[in-house]
Amino acid sequence: MKPEIKDLIEISNYYGINKEFVISGGGNTSFKDNQTLWIKANGQSLENLTEDGLVALNREKLHVISSGNYSDDPATREEQVKKDLMQSILDPGKNKRPSVETSLHELIQYKYIVHLHPTLINGILCSRNAKNLSLKLFGESLLFVPYIDPGYTLFKKLESEILLYRQKFSHDPQIIFLENHGSFVGADTTEEIRTIYNDIFKKIEEHIPLISDLTPIPGNSLLQKFVPGIRLLLSDKQPGVIRFRNNSLIAKYYQNQQEFHKISLPLTPDIIVYCKTRYMYVEQASSADKILESIRHQLPRFLSEYGFTPKVIIVKVNLIRHKLRFTLFPMSYISLINSNIE
Ligand SMILES: [Zn+2]
């Protein structure tokens, strides 16, 4: 194995194993020399990445995508871009598709690129103050890109932003933050990538206080009564799995409709992938029967409106109010992900 590929696998596994940096198949990593770019294949997790899970692409062919004459219709355009991407693959016999974010990796002129969705960074990137906060903490060492749906439009936006940055500073940005999404860090060695990420996390931890009273709330007796019922209601032919989680932060959002509303839409593409775009709220907490009744009542409308059964149901299980020093809004979401129905 090329030593550079060994380093790439090592750093991928290092970040992939920690859910604070990336979950499931999210994030991607790459290495490039003058002719070839090696990138994590689609659907692979960073945690288990091996050399076999990489796709090698011809960089010259990848450049076609930048000047491609593609359709205005987003769906057709994405298909056309995908076709050009597939044509750059050096070993199509391996039957692996490159990550959809491959062209973003090609844009940044460092040998190694590590793209993650870290909870800590997304805490800033999903906040209302994302841009100001990012620039305040990292100044011009960072390129901030406002939210754009992943795909070709994001690629074109990033391309023009990097060009401007390059003109101004005569080098590429080593840190790129994508609003409501995650981070790209580029460097010529994986050691430098680690140093940069460590510095980023240190700086955020120093400047933004974490929620100090995230206390778990133990399950109450109601739980045993209504959880099996929910499982029955939502299981198809295959029985589903339900995970329940309750803590002082989640409690803040189930106390009433108004609070629930604040977390009722997804904040990142990851949340869309794993939890879908809408969640069900059950304000009824008096008895297990009433909770189930409310879900049964809401379900047909939920299905017809959104076209899927809920992955996340937020139930007002108790009426204890908690005082929270509450800073990182999306943290709550990460908690909710774990209470999804798989
Ligand atoms: Zn991503």
Side-chain angles (χ1 to χ4, degrees), residues 18 21 62 78 91 109 124 147 151 180 212 225 269 288 291 293:
N18 189 334
F21 298 137
L62 268 179
E78 291 310 316
D91 181 6
Q109 296 310 304
I124 289 178
Y147 182 78
N180 288 85
S212 57
K225 292 182 192 150
I291 291 169
E293 161 88 43

Side-chain angles (χ1 to χ4, degrees), residues 27-32 36-42 54-59 61-63 65 81-82 84-86 88-89 96-109 113 115 151 154-155 158 184:
N28 39 57
T29 50
S30 69
F31 166 74
K32 51 178 115 52
T36 310
L37 180 140
W38 289 263
I39 190 158
K40 188 196 85 163
N42 209 9
L54 293 172
V55 185
L57 299 118
N58 178 319
R59 292 186 64 194
K61 285 193 183 165
L62 268 179
H63 291 161
I65 294 173
V81 174
K82 209 155 93 188
D84 281 344
L85 185 61
M86 299 301 280
S88 321
I89 298 177
K96 289 243 161 38
R97 286 194 296 127
S99 157
V100 285
E101 280 157 336
T102 302
S103 30
L104 303 181
H105 286 245
E106 174 55 36
L107 279 178
I108 313 162
Q109 296 310 304
I113 308 290
H115 166 51
L154 171 61
F155 166 75
L158 192 63
F184 281 81

Side-chain angles (χ1 to χ4, degrees), residues 211-223:
I211 298 157
S212 57
D213 48 0
L214 195 75
T215 12
I217 301 173
N220 62 25
S221 56
L222 263 185
L223 203 63

Side-chain angles (χ1 to χ4, degrees), residues 148-337:
I148 294 170
D149 282 337
Y152 195 64
T153 27
L154 171 61
F155 166 75
K156 288 310 272 184
K157 173 76 181 165
L158 192 63
E159 184 181 46
S160 63
E161 292 285 337
I162 289 179
L163 271 175
L164 286 174
Y165 190 99
R166 213 176 273 159
Q167 275 163 11
K168 196 166 166 193
F169 299 101
S170 351
H171 62 85
D172 278 14
Q174 285 196 286
I175 310 170
I176 300 175
F177 276 6
L178 302 185
E179 189 174 28
N180 288 85
H181 183 148
S183 50
F184 281 81
V185 166
D188 287 339
T189 65
T190 53
E191 229 169 86
E192 206 185 332
I193 300 245
R194 283 178 208 240
T195 309
I196 295 174
Y197 264 122
N198 285 345
D199 288 349
I200 295 175
F201 297 133
K202 211 173 125 214
K203 212 164 219 176
I204 296 176
E205 277 163 359
E206 274 168 15
H207 285 83
I208 305 201
L210 283 172
I211 298 157
S212 57
D213 48 0
L214 195 75
T215 12
I217 301 173
N220 62 25
S221 56
L222 263 185
L223 203 63
Q224 276 102 41
K225 292 182 192 150
F226 75 79
V227 168
I230 298 181
R231 188 165 176 247
L232 261 179
L233 269 178
L234 296 174
S235 289
D236 240 350
K237 287 165 208 128
Q238 289 285 317
V241 175
I242 293 189
R243 267 202 227 157
F244 178 81
R245 200 182 223 209
N246 196 6
N247 62 41
S248 50
L249 184 61
I250 297 174
K252 178 180 160 57
Y253 295 105
Y254 62 58
Q255 55 183 310
N256 56 42
Q257 279 282 1
Q258 221 179 339
E259 288 301 318
F260 167 69
H261 188 72
K262 294 177 184 164
I263 53 154
S264 62
L265 288 173
L267 292 168
T268 69
D270 262 359
I271 297 176
I272 298 174
V273 170
Y274 300 111
C275 306
K276 304 221 179 216
T277 49
R278 300 285 167 154
Y279 321 107
M280 187 185 276
Y281 177 58
V282 180
E283 202 171 12
Q284 184 55 258
S286 54
S287 74
D289 283 348
K290 291 230 164 97
I291 291 169
L292 284 174
E293 161 88 43
S294 167
I295 296 174
R296 209 174 283 126
H297 181 77
Q298 289 190 60
L299 207 51
R301 215 177 119 199
F302 192 100
L303 252 171
S304 74
E305 216 164 299
Y306 308 127
F308 54 85
T309 48
K311 285 270 194 190
V312 177
I313 300 180
I314 294 158
V315 184
K316 183 177 178 175
V317 282
N318 61 43
L319 301 163
I320 307 165
R321 290 185 187 235
H322 294 266
K323 276 192 197 134
L324 284 173
R325 261 203 309 123
F326 167 64
T327 44
L328 287 181
F329 179 59
M331 286 292 198
S332 63
Y333 248 113
I334 304 307
S335 306
L336 294 176
I337 286 172

